[in-house]
Amino acid sequence: MLGVAPFGMVFGVAAVGSDVPVVETVAMSVVIFAGASQLAAVELVGQNAPAVVVVATVLVINLRMMMYSASIAPHFERLSARWKALLSYLLTDQAYAASIFEFENDDDVSRKWYFLGVAAPIWLMWQVATVGGIALGSGVPDGWHLDFAVPLVFLALVIPAVTDRSTAVAAVVGGSVAVAASGLPFNLGLITAAVAGIAGGLVTEEVA
Amino acid sequence: MAGQLDGPVLWLVILAAGVGTYAIRVSFVALFGRFDEVPEGVERALQFVPAAVLAALVAPDVVAPEGTLALSASNPRPLAAVVAAAVAWYTEDVAATLIAGMGALWVASYLLA
């Protein structure tokens, strides 16, 4: 939960650094509302990447949420279409991680109110932190190494995602290919790494 | 800036990325119950997406922060990441991981400076 605030500020600072205007930066946090992909998007905009590359990168990074959607869907099954629409918009790594554990261990807890209670504060904090980061702009001293907060947030999320040998292979292959391909233009290394990591996991599962 | 996405094109990018991201989020929540289960092949591939994508987001920022592989004593990030990974393993807590990793980076940078 605390991870959201520095992450959002890093995004705001990065957007200022890439000359993305204030209104567009806030619009990204409201319309896309997915930090990792927003951060990649402003970096690509700063590198003058083509529009198609920016959109494709955002979608590849956010593809993991399709798994969260599949995993949490049974718990939302009996909600109205309106609630499903709202709660889906608020689906994030952190909200998923905090809710699914509770849902799988407590049959009685209200699905919609519990999820809303976790997810809505994350949304609010994300917007506030974005504005805070924009306000800080380039005023953050380099010595703080605030940019390191971003891989740390993902590190905290990837560790619980590694649950067995095949997910471990997916992570190791994904990480290694991303480093090897980091010289590719416009973040295409990320897409390559994602595909390679998924393939590595599937192959490991097949032979195991 | 010459060539940089701005104005209507940037807005179009934000809108397309937002609509696509929402479609990803709502996908199975909306479809569940219309067909009985997530197709097995899709589910098998999707289970590896978080590990693969999150690791791909972490690794370059840690071992190649300037774009080229930097595994020497002058780069304190791998060490800080190992400390953070250990804390993440034991606590499974984002805040604790963040504090441990940033703390380790500051200490290591100070000692190396």
Side-chain angles (χ1 to χ4, degrees):
Chain A
M1 187 58 197
L2 190 72
V4 176
F7 192 4
M9 293 180 71
V10 169
F11 167 68
V13 170
V16 171
S18 288
D19 291 329
V20 176
V22 171
V23 180
E24 279 88 334
T25 303
V26 175
M28 282 177 138
S29 280
V30 173
V31 175
I32 304 175
F33 182 48
S37 67
Q38 290 175 226
L39 200 63
V42 294
E43 281 178 13
L44 288 173
V45 169
Q47 297 164 20
N48 299 335
V52 173
V53 171
V54 180
V55 175
T57 301
V58 167
L59 297 184
V60 167
I61 293 175
N62 293 339
L63 197 59
R64 70 189 187 288
M65 292 194 291
M66 193 178 279
M67 205 211 67
Y68 303 156
S69 181
S71 164
I72 213 159
H75 299 287
F76 290 169
E77 192 188 2
R78 282 186 286 174
L79 301 181
S80 67
R82 234 176 249 189
W83 272 102
K84 284 180 183 175
L86 172 68
L87 298 184
S88 296
Y89 167 64
L90 295 173
L91 186 58
T92 56
D93 295 295
Q94 293 90 341
Y96 170 77
S99 304
I100 199 69
F101 182 79
E102 179 70 20
F103 290 171
E104 280 171 3
N105 290 287
D106 185 352
D107 288 336
D108 298 327
V109 68
S110 162
R111 268 49 186 161
K112 64 181 178 191
W113 294 118
Y114 187 88
F115 190 84
L116 191 68
V118 171
I122 291 173
W123 185 89
L124 190 64
M125 190 176 287
W126 183 249
Q127 309 308 333
V128 171
T130 298
V131 174
I134 295 169
L136 274 179
S138 50
V140 179
D142 283 348
W144 288 11
H145 304 290
L146 192 62
D147 58 315
F148 193 58
V150 175
L152 286 176
V153 172
F154 297 135
L155 188 64
L157 296 170
V158 76
I159 299 278
V162 174
T163 51
D164 56 15
R165 201 164 62 159
S166 43
T167 45
V169 170
V172 170
V173 172
S176 307
V177 172
V179 172
S182 62
L184 289 181
F186 303 139
N187 240 7
L188 292 174
L190 178 76
I191 298 174
T192 314
V195 173
I198 293 164
L202 285 171
V203 168
T204 310
E205 196 180 51
E206 205 63 47
V207 295
Chain B
M1 284 176 76
Q4 179 161 332
L5 293 174
D6 57 9
V9 182
L10 182 56
W11 278 104
L12 211 61
V13 165
I14 294 170
L15 202 65
V19 169
T21 299
Y22 184 71
I24 289 169
R25 285 178 159 129
V26 82
S27 57
F28 285 104
V29 170
L31 290 173
F32 195 83
R34 293 198 192 172
F35 55 93
D36 284 342
E37 273 176 23
V38 180
E40 203 202 322
V42 176
E43 193 173 16
R44 281 188 56 216
L46 282 178
Q47 67 176 319
F48 297 115
V49 173
V53 172
L54 292 169
L57 288 169
V58 173
D61 279 356
V62 171
V63 300
E66 309 293 336
T68 50
L69 196 63
L71 283 175
S72 66
S74 62
N75 177 14
R77 290 176 168 223
L79 181 69
V82 169
V83 172
V87 172
W89 179 267
Y90 283 110
T91 67
E92 297 206 349
D93 183 79
V94 176
T97 306
L98 206 52
I99 290 165
M102 292 306 294
L105 185 73
W106 288 332
V107 170
S109 303
Y110 177 78
L111 293 176
L112 289 170

